[in-house]
Amino acid sequence: MADETIGIVGAGIVGLATGREIALRRPGTRVVVFEKEQRVAVHQTGHNSGVVHAGIYYAPGSLKAELCVRGVSLLRAYCQERRLPYQEIGKLVVAVREDELGRMEDLYQRARNNHVPDLRRISKDEIREIEPNAGGIAALHSPRTAITDYPAVARRFAEDIVAHGGEVRLGFPVSSLTDVPGGIEVGSGEERVRVDRLILCAGLQSDSVARLARDRGDPRIVPFRGEYMLLRPDRTDLVRGLVYPVPDPRYPFLGVHFTPRVDGSVEVGPNAVLALAKEGYRLSDVSVRDLARLAAYPGVWKMAAQHWRTGIREYRGSLSVAAFMSRAGDYVPGVGTDDVVRGGAGVRAQALDPDGSLVDDFRIHRVGRVTAVRNAPSPAATASMAIAEHIREAVFANAGDPA
């Protein structure tokens, strides 16, 4: 349908990439992005570590695997075209114990199936050639893994939307979604904006916004806070590139790792602790409403029964710098509490099914005129431009029939 207005809820990198994709590929379509904050990329995008993932971790055939690999090429080209930071500093995925070698080999085969470029197995001696201060007995080396500045990318996406006749409406918290003939009315307080179709990219608030659209109740968003340490400026030379652990497949988070940033700083972390508010960036941030909704969801209690030991370990690291850094020392021996200061924190919107399963893959579905992104964890920033293509195809699959 020509001359449509497409609404997008959420001005994080996925929402903005989607708005840009539609504005560029659908001439005559007007895009309006609704964002409750006063600037774009405030939450997950604004707290992202900046890693451009190569596609090592994701199950072959999954949306994550497909869209990550496609997204890397699109993002690299965009950053080069717009002169945005894009540095291929490489990544080591390091095994520090014999019992991790089998998992590392499985990871290697998975990455090969995902066509990760130039990935190779390396020995203990080769680790030291690449990262002189790193520990480990073997590793995978991904030289094409990169870092970028995702908030800067998101701001450019917003500029592209406006340049193609669209609008990014800041300070517009969506409070109602109402079906009207031929479209949807998006409400914020007393203000109403009519759109023909709506895309929900609300991140931490995705389940709440989906409720307004009368979408199904699950998966539910569980907020996990990831806290970081920063290497002191005189210790940033401890690592040259990214140094990661071999992930434990029983848990969706990667564990403590070393992440150089484009500004020259180096993060150590994150841990992963249950946040007490959806936007709970500090230990003291508590939302009674968010906690009540979590407590009422059966999946939360089933998840807790499965992962309570891991939760205790992660909280110990949150409260004690020494406990936090004890894990980091496995990968860079000798690094300790004197080498770091407390850094920032981010909150990950982790989708949870009623059976307590932490949703791993992207979940995107369409209900009538609404297309909802219900789960978009890492590598969503890496894959954002490919996710945008996928959403555009989903939204306009039957352009003449929004139902």
Side-chain angles (χ1 to χ4, degrees):
M1 185 186 300
D3 300 323
E4 283 188 306
T5 297
I6 304 299
I8 298 173
V9 178
I13 197 168
V14 172
L16 292 168
T18 302
R20 175 187 179 275
E21 174 71 16
I22 293 171
L24 267 64
R25 311 299 176 201
R26 301 279 299 188
T29 299
R30 182 169 181 268
V31 171
V32 183
V33 181
F34 304 100
E35 169 56 49
K36 70 184 179 70
E37 306 294 351
Q38 296 297 331
R39 54 190 173 88
V40 304
V42 168
H43 293 292
Q44 290 185 104
T45 305
H47 294 83
N48 193 289
S49 63
V51 177
V52 182
H53 293 282
I56 295 172
Y57 306 104
Y58 317 119
S62 65
L63 273 180
K64 274 190 176 183
E66 174 190 344
L67 298 181
C68 179
V69 173
R70 167 70 175 157
V72 170
S73 63
L74 293 172
L75 182 63
R76 183 192 306 114
Y78 186 82
C79 289
Q80 291 171 347
E81 176 190 340
R82 299 306 178 94
R83 298 184 179 180
L84 292 164
Y86 192 93
Q87 303 169 18
E88 290 185 346
I89 62 172
K91 174 192 285 186
L92 288 180
V93 181
V94 179
V96 296
R97 300 187 308 273
E98 292 286 341
D99 62 3
E100 293 179 325
L101 294 176
R103 297 208 310 266
M104 192 183 82
E105 179 61 24
D106 291 343
L107 201 63
Y108 176 75
Q109 296 302 330
R110 173 175 284 196
R112 289 196 62 182
N113 288 334
N114 291 342
H115 307 291
V116 173
D118 303 327
L119 184 76
R120 64 190 182 100
R121 308 179 190 91
I122 63 172
S123 67
K124 180 177 181 178
D125 290 340
E126 290 173 300
I127 291 174
R128 308 298 182 270
E129 292 173 8
I130 296 167
E131 290 285 356
N133 297 304
I137 58 175
L140 302 180
H141 183 219
S142 172
R144 302 290 295 278
T145 298
I147 56 174
T148 189
D149 181 342
Y150 284 119
V153 173
R155 290 191 292 270
R156 288 297 183 91
F157 286 167
E159 291 171 6
D160 291 343
I161 291 169
V162 174
H164 286 80
E167 182 181 2
V168 179
R169 302 197 64 166
L170 302 175
F172 193 102
V174 174
S175 57
S176 66
L177 299 173
T178 306
D179 291 329
V180 296
I184 299 167
E185 200 172 67
V186 182
S188 180
E190 299 300 316
E191 192 171 2
R192 300 287 184 271
V193 179
R194 185 195 176 281
V195 300
D196 295 283
R197 303 170 193 260
L198 188 65
I199 303 167
L200 309 182
C201 300
L204 288 161
Q205 306 296 337
S206 60
D207 54 355
S208 300
V209 175
R211 263 197 311 274
L212 296 177
R214 291 165 296 285
D215 194 5
R216 57 180 181 245
D218 53 74
R220 194 72 56 85
I221 292 299
V222 177
F224 281 92
R225 186 174 62 256
E227 300 160 331
Y228 291 88
M229 300 294 171
L230 286 173
L231 288 181
R232 294 184 181 277
D234 62 339
R235 301 294 279 162
T236 55
D237 59 355
L238 281 172
V239 294
R240 297 171 176 175
L242 300 149
V243 179
Y244 276 56
V246 176
D248 185 337
R250 296 170 300 176
Y251 206 59
F253 307 113
L254 292 174
V256 170
H257 45 272
F258 290 78
T259 307
R261 304 292 301 268
V262 294
D263 64 4
S265 64
V266 177
E267 290 181 334
V268 186
N271 59 359
V273 298
L274 184 66
L276 303 182
K278 281 190 175 180
E279 296 169 9
Y281 297 102
R282 299 169 301 178
L283 189 62
S284 58
D285 291 335
V286 178
S287 167
V288 174
R289 182 182 66 176
D290 290 348
L291 287 175
R293 286 178 176 171
L294 286 177
Y297 188 57
V300 169
W301 299 102
K302 294 175 182 178
M303 176 194 69
Q306 296 173 48
H307 297 295
W308 65 270
R309 289 183 180 85
T310 301
I312 290 173
R313 184 189 69 195
E314 295 293 309
Y315 270 107
R316 187 180 298 123
S318 178
L319 298 172
S320 164
V321 176
F324 190 106
M325 292 304 296
S326 65
R327 285 174 281 165
D330 291 339
Y331 302 95
V332 179
V335 70
T337 57
D338 292 339
D339 299 307
V340 297
V341 295
R342 285 197 178 270
V347 180
R348 169 175 170 155
Q350 175 61 56
L352 182 70
D353 275 333
D355 65 357
S357 300
L358 296 160
V359 180
D360 183 55
D361 205 1
F362 301 143
R363 283 201 186 171
I364 302 166
H365 68 263
R366 180 178 164 195
V367 181
R369 295 179 180 274
V370 177
T371 301
V373 178
R374 295 298 299 267
N375 191 51
S378 178
T382 299
S384 57
M385 297 179 78
I387 294 172
E389 291 180 335
H390 180 84
I391 292 173
R392 174 178 54 80
E393 291 168 3
V395 170
F396 298 104
N398 297 294
D401 179 17

